[in-house]
Every structure is written in C-alpha cells, then in structure tokens.
Amino acid sequence: MQQSPLPAQGPTTESFWRASPHSLDDHRSSPDVPPEVDICVIGAGFAGASTVHHILDICNSRGQPRPRIVILEARQACSGATGRNGGHIKPDPCHQPSSLAVTHGIEAAAECAAFEAQNLFAVKKFVEDEGIDCEFTLTRAVDAFMSDAVCDKVMAAADMLRRNHVSVMSDVHFAKGSDAEVLSGVKGVKGCISYSAGHLFPYKLTLQLLSRAIDAGVNLQTHTPVLNVTGQADGDGFITVTTSRGSVKARKVVYATNAYTSSLLPEFTGKIVPVRGICSHITPTKKPAPHLPSTYIIRWSDTNYDYLIPRLDGSVILGGARSMFYHDLDSWYNNVDDGQLIEAGKSHFDGYMQRVFQGWEDSGAYTSKLWTGIMGYSSDSMPYIGALPEKNQQFVVAGFSGHGMPQIFLAAKGIASIIIDNADFQSTGIPTVYQVTRARLDSKQNSIMEGWEKAQKSSIAFNKI
Ligand SMILES: Cc1cc2nc3c(=O)[nH]c(=O)nc-3n(C[C@H](O)[C@H](O)[C@H](O)COP(=O)(O)OP(=O)(O)OC[C@H]3O[C@@H](n4cnc5c(N)ncnc54)[C@H](O)[C@@H]3O)c2cc1C
C-alpha cells in the first residue's frame, strides 16, 4: 500500500456544517509561519483543537506560562472529517466492546466502553461550563437491528457484557419485536438497544476551541500543508517541520492528522487508512416535521449500516449508504477524494426517511445536501494515541475509524498531560489499547480488509442461493 497523499487541494464537496464558514476559516495569525515554537500541532480538526485546548488549560490552571504553539492546517480550519461528519457523539457500549472482549479481554472492553461514555459527559460539561454555542443536545441513541441474525448476535454480545459486569451496560435498554418498533419508530425492526448519546454542530465546537486558543496567543496557519518532519531533534533540541510556506523549528510535534497521518509518518502506512464516506442533510417540507425521538444507527448487516441525528430545526443529518458502494473497494478504501460524491451512494438518501421511519411517509423529506469526507480507519479498529516509539518528542492523536467524537476530547486531554508533564500513558486514563506501540505498528493485521473480504464472501454465497 502507498502512503496517504496530503489532504486534497481544490474545491471539496460542501458539507452542511461548513455552509457558512466562521471568520477564522482561512485564518493566518501572522503573515509567515513562526520560525520557532515550543509545540507544533499539525491538523486543525477536533483532535488538534482539543489538544491545544487541554495544553492551555493545564498551564492556565497552574498559572504557568503558556508554551509557544503553532497549529498548521493544510486547508481551511476544520475542513477534514470533523467538518464533514454526522454530528453524532455516540459512545459504543456494545458493538466494539464485544469484539474487544474476544481479542483483548473483558477488561479492555470495559475500559474502552467506559472511556467513550466519559467523553460524552466531558464534552457536555465543557460546553455547558464554557457556554460554547454548538447545539449540543443530550439524547438517547438507538441501535436498530434490521435482521434476526444481526439482532441475535448483538443481544448475545450484550448479554455477555452484562454477565461480566461491564459498567456501561447499566445505561443500556433492550427491546425486541413490536416493543422495539414502538420504541424506535423504525419500520420492521427486529430489536434495538438504546443508551445515552449526544448530537452537536462539530464545526462550531472546533472553531470555538480554535478561537479561544488564538485569543490565548496560539498561532493558527491555515492553507499550510506540512510536507516533512525530521525524525529526530537537532543538537539544540529542535525538530524541523517543513511546510509549503517555510520551516518551523519545534521542540515537540503533535500529529492530529487523522486519515493523512501516513503522508508524514510512513510507519502508519496501512495502519491508518483513508476511508471515504458520504453524508446528507435531509429536510422535511411538512411543518411541523415528524418527531424523531432519538439518534440512530440502523444496522442492516454486520458491515452495512446508516446513522442519523435529528436536528432541533426538524431536519436530519443522515450518513452511511454503505450497501450501495461497499463492494467497490476503490470507491472508498485508501481514497482521499472529498472533492467528489460517491456516485453509487447518491440516491440512497432520497426517500430514506419515508421508507425507514414511521410517521415520515407524508413528510415530503428530500435530500437538501450531500457531501463526502475522509475518515482515518485504523487497521486494528483502535485509535493511535501517544508518543511515537522511536521519535523523541513526537506524538500522535489519530486513527479514529469514523468514530472520533466520543473518543477525542479525553484522548487529547491525556496527550496534553503527556506533553506538558511527561505523564506516563497509564496515568492518563486513555484506554491501554489506544497506545501507539511498536508491536501495533509491526502487526500485519488489517481488520478493514478482513471485514470487507468476509462481507464479499457472504454476499457471493447469498447470491448463489
Ligand atoms: C462522512 C463522515 C461521517 C462521520 N460521522 C461521524 C459521527 O457521526 N460520529 C463520530 O463520532 N465520528 C464521525 N466521523 C468521524 C469523525 O468525524 C472523526 O473521527 C473526527 O472528526 C476526527 O477528528 P480529527 O481531528 O482527528 O481529524 P480531522 O477532522 O480529519 O482533522 C485532521 C486535519 O489534519 C489536517 N492535515 C492532515 N495532514 C496534514 C498535513 N500534512 N499538513 C497540515 N494539515 C494536515 C487535515 O487537513 C485535517 O483538517 C465521520 C466522518 C466522516 C468523514
């Protein structure tokens, strides 16, 4: 596999969230990149902005001088996955933890599930305490299972987690058959679970984090792709970060580069793979819009699913459409093209609400916007967080596999304490399985391709019946 290219230049498909750009979207704090800083953060998405927020927070809380920080962003602020996602902050109590229980043991599963739940409430607290206007709404997420096979599998997994006293299961409610249909409002659902989740306006949250950082003296340089970073510091302790607009000498470097991490760090080739996704904004014409009580993931099979959040204006953000293009590997795998829609996925969203949800039949709901975005899928499904094994004073916070919103805020808090206090990874509260290790980088595992190959075999078998 090739290293990821840099974020694609040129026009991108416009997401709902980025339709009215913030005044800092193209911001450059100084005409040139600063020649020397203490910390260089690459990437101005939720991960980069959160890392800077927590670094400043640690320093402010101690009355300690703030380090000199530059954020280098290849395109506009928050123009990557964060500015193009589904707006769902949905801790996963069951799906991934049940796989993790098999591969890494029940403690690892419980740790990851609890960490994601903590993230939801950490973001809620931050937004409320600081008066951040990002439309954060605490809700229940419903996982709707559309076949008996999917339903039975998840119910068995949930039962196993409950029997093993995984703490987040106390927040999970189960329903089957007609009860599930009433609870979820999803037509023909076989069963469902619900649990605490949230939805928000991710671009607004990230731009406010960046705005506060700039007010605190952080230098933001948009439209400044980083082209190269030296592996080791020079004799004076500086790492050289080369951009399209000149070089920055930094004592520490943070890669918050998600899908594009391997463009700068070849050791992440095949470890964090760019994966293209498609998302939509659905507008009902009927007023008031039909009530949608929860956020959702609609699971049609192990690999095909859609996800959606209601917005308080009655519209819906709906993403997924994997059933339309998942078989066509080149259309999504190792693909950084967010300038074009995924052709095969385009029609999936038309009439979706009418087909899937009770009470939406006469809603007149139509697809008002469509866009693509690039996720950073990790080869073992776990984010990569922490110090790089052989590159002193270089740190990664990336590889969120299309699920970063309930992972990033506290992962960034942990990375901030590693950077500022030289904290031990184990003391940060970040799940152990997220840590960047040489063993993970050397592993030949590729769970993205394993899942795809399995799905292709079962669809061939299904077609032969
Ligand atoms: C269509 C879609 C739907 C999604 N829906 C959800 C959802 O509902 N819930 C959820 O939890 N997650 C969702 N995700 C995933 C979620 O958006 C990500 O996990 C999260 O935003 C990752 O944040 P980040 O800051 O790590 O990455 P990004 O937001 O991608 O930020 C990385 C930044 O680094 C910059 N960069 C990269 N390389 C360089 C370089 N060499 N030089 C300078 N800058 C560079 C990029 O331009 C980019 O701005 C979705 C993603 C997509 C694409």
Side-chain angles (χ1 to χ4, degrees), residues 164-415:
N164 281 284
H165 313 292
V166 170
S167 63
V168 298
M169 295 309 288
S170 61
D171 182 44
V172 179
H173 177 75
F174 299 79
K176 280 197 95 170
S178 56
D179 286 354
E181 197 157 322
V182 173
L183 183 85
S184 66
V186 176
K187 296 176 195 176
V189 69
K190 305 296 180 193
C192 70
I193 58 173
S194 80
Y195 46 92
S196 300
H199 58 85
L200 45 62
F201 201 122
Y203 177 75
K204 282 190 183 177
L205 171 60
T206 305
L207 265 291
Q208 280 168 85
L209 284 167
L210 292 172
S211 171
R212 294 155 61 99
I214 290 164
D215 290 347
V218 171
N219 188 315
L220 170 65
Q221 296 287 331
T222 63
H223 301 284
T224 307
V226 173
L227 309 176
N228 183 56
V229 183
T230 50
Q232 301 300 337
D234 63 20
D236 298 321
F238 284 111
I239 299 156
T240 302
V241 178
T242 306
T243 81
S244 61
R245 300 175 46 237
S247 294
V248 182
K249 283 182 175 297
R251 295 208 175 271
K252 297 173 195 255
V253 175
V254 182
Y255 299 83
T257 40
N258 209 27
Y260 312 96
T261 303
S262 73
S263 68
L264 297 173
L265 294 170
E267 57 268 49
F268 281 86
T269 307
K271 302 292 149 205
I272 298 179
V273 179
V275 162
R276 195 156 73 128
I278 186 165
C279 211
S280 71
H281 180 236
I282 306 288
T283 306
T285 48
K286 189 175 156 194
K287 301 246 183 287
H291 181 53
L292 201 57
S294 310
T295 60
Y296 293 87
I297 184 154
I298 312 284
R299 290 196 182 279
W300 305 97
S301 73
D302 276 351
T303 47
N304 286 331
Y305 53 82
D306 303 302
Y307 48 86
L308 65 140
I309 61 160
R311 289 180 32 76
L312 296 180
D313 64 5
S315 67
V316 170
I317 304 292
L318 166 62
R322 297 230 302 183
S323 57
M324 310 295 281
F325 62 82
Y326 187 58
H327 61 279
D328 178 11
L329 200 60
D330 291 344
S331 70
W332 59 273
Y333 184 77
N334 207 16
N335 189 325
V336 296
D337 184 2
D338 53 5
Q340 306 211 36
L341 295 172
I342 303 177
E343 274 307 307
K346 275 162 64 174
S347 60
H348 184 71
F349 305 107
D350 297 333
Y352 186 95
M353 297 305 293
Q354 290 90 329
R355 290 195 302 278
V356 174
F357 283 91
Q358 288 166 355
W360 279 75
E361 293 81 359
D362 303 321
S363 62
Y366 67 99
T367 311
S368 34
K369 219 170 200 22
L370 273 175
W371 63 94
T372 46
I374 311 301
M375 300 169 274
Y377 267 49
S378 124
S379 58
D380 61 6
S381 310
M382 292 293 114
Y384 284 92
I385 315 291
L388 282 171
E390 286 96 21
K391 290 183 174 160
N392 211 7
Q393 302 301 339
Q394 303 199 30
F395 308 87
V396 173
V397 50
F400 295 102
S401 300
H403 185 63
M405 300 312 283
Q407 298 173 329
I408 287 174
F409 195 65
L410 292 181
K413 185 174 182 183
I415 239 352

Side-chain angles (χ1 to χ4, degrees), residues 56 66 96 113:
L56 295 174
R66 296 173 188 137
Q96 175 126 61

